[in-house]
């Protein structure tokens, strides 16, 4: 079945350093979404990428969708302590009906002040 | 409502007990999803409803798991004869329409612990 792999599993950075998490799907995706989950919280939607090669920015966050629509990345510039949490990518296969999401394992980000 | 709500927030069950977990989606949302999130893992899809119709239940791990949404709004996930491996956070999500590009809004989850 469809799988979504995400690396790294953990990332510890000093405040002000950059952070990147990568997501790879075993199959071509219709679209990909990114979520943030704070400790003890639930996934909160960040963004959706639909087009091949798409790049979107939200302040210090940059999201990319690969040309083949099988991989994606999230880059945070100059991390802050408020960025702490686990970042998940979630893909929708091109044959999925109804929008079922396949989540990666997540990258847990810790930021040392 | 303002968001997706779930109850109870925490549930402790003895092995073999039946449990029922409730989800109240955002009012008017057509699609409703259930996911299971084990500790340190990403959410895993369980089942999907479009209004009252259960269109995909391919993620339900066994026939002990049953979900319903009889009136197309509130949904209940029932687990019969709970096992320790059922311990996880059960997340409900809803989306406004049935399109594959629709944003899913997650509830706070129910943390189930089976002793």
């Amino acid at each position: 079945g469809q799988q979504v792999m995400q690396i790294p599993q953990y990332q510890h950075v000093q405040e002000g350093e950059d952070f990147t998490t990568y997501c790879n799907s075993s199959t071509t995706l219709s679209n990909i979404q990114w979520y943030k989950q704070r400790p003890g919280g639930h996934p909160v939607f960040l963004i959706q990428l639909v087009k091949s090669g798409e790049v979107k920015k939200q302040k210090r966050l940059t999201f990319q969708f690969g040309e083949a629509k099988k991989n994606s990345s999230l880059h945070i510039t100059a991390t802050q302590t408020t960025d702490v949490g686990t970042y998940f990518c979630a893909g929708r296969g091109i044959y999925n009906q109804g929008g079922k999401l396949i989540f990666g394992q997540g990258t847990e980000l810790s930021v040392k002040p | 409502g303002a968001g997706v709500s779930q109850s109870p927030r925490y549930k402790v069950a003895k092995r073999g007990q039946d449990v029922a977990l409730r989800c109240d989606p955002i009012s008017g949302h057509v699609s409703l999803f259930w996911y299971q999130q084990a500790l340190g893992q990403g959410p895993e899809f369980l089942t999907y409803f479009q209004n009252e119709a259960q269109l995909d239940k391919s993620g339900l791990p066994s026939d002990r798991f049953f979900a319903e949404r009889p009136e197309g709004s509130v949904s209940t996930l029932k687990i019969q004869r709970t096992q320790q491996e059922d311990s996880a956070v059960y997340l409900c999500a809803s989306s406004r329409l049935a399109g594959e590009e629709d944003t899913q809004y997650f509830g706070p989850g129910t943390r189930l612990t089976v002793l």
Side-chain angles (χ1 to χ4, degrees):
Chain A
Q2 181 184 359
Q3 289 187 319
V4 174
M5 306 298 293
Q6 193 173 349
I7 58 169
Q9 188 174 0
Y10 304 98
Q11 186 76 57
H12 308 286
V13 301
Q14 194 77 32
E15 189 173 21
E17 291 181 338
D18 292 355
F19 159 76
T20 305
T21 173
Y22 300 90
C23 191
N24 285 285
S25 170
S26 58
T27 59
T28 303
L29 298 172
S30 170
N31 55 69
I32 194 161
Q33 300 188 352
W34 285 89
Y35 289 81
K36 178 182 179 181
Q37 186 172 23
R38 293 183 182 275
H42 59 277
V44 175
F45 174 79
L46 293 177
I47 207 159
Q48 177 172 258
L49 304 170
V50 178
K51 299 176 183 177
S52 169
E54 189 169 15
V55 178
K56 286 189 176 180
K57 293 190 176 184
Q58 287 180 351
K59 297 182 180 178
R60 295 178 294 104
L61 277 61
T62 301
F63 304 84
Q64 293 187 324
F65 200 10
E67 293 290 341
K69 300 185 73 172
K70 294 182 73 173
N71 57 73
S72 182
S73 65
L74 158 60
H75 179 82
I76 302 178
T77 303
T79 54
Q80 300 175 357
T81 54
T82 53
D83 296 326
V84 165
T86 300
Y87 292 84
F88 291 99
C89 61
R92 287 188 175 119
I94 56 176
Y95 300 114
N96 280 356
Q97 289 186 343
K100 162 178 131 180
L101 291 171
I102 306 298
F103 279 81
Q105 303 95 317
T107 296
E108 183 179 342
L109 172 65
S110 64
V111 180
K112 187 175 181 180
Chain B
V4 179
S5 61
Q6 292 185 245
S7 61
R9 291 293 312 279
Y10 303 91
K11 177 69 178 178
V12 178
K14 291 183 179 179
R15 193 165 64 93
Q17 280 185 331
D18 297 349
V19 298
L21 313 180
R22 177 187 169 107
C23 172
D24 285 80
I26 295 173
S27 178
H29 275 200
V30 167
S31 297
L32 185 146
F33 304 81
W34 284 97
Y35 293 86
Q36 180 190 60
Q37 186 173 23
L39 189 64
Q41 301 295 316
E44 289 195 7
F45 171 81
L46 294 177
T47 188
Y48 159 64
F49 290 86
Q50 184 177 324
N51 294 310
E52 70 278 2
Q54 188 175 20
L55 298 186
D56 187 346
K57 53 182 181 180
S58 62
L60 296 177
S62 77
D63 58 8
R64 295 186 295 104
F65 287 70
F66 171 78
E68 60 183 5
R69 193 187 186 197
E71 297 179 0
S73 55
V74 171
S75 177
T76 304
L77 176 66
K78 298 179 180 178
I79 309 174
Q80 297 177 323
R81 305 181 303 282
T82 52
Q83 304 293 316
Q84 285 189 324
E85 60 263 29
D86 299 334
S87 295
V89 175
Y90 290 85
L91 294 163
C92 175
S94 71
S95 63
R96 190 169 63 91
L97 300 173
E100 63 177 28
E101 294 188 8
D102 240 23
T103 298
Q104 292 185 21
Y105 298 92
F106 282 80
T110 295
R111 182 177 297 278
L112 173 64
T113 303
V114 181
L115 303 177

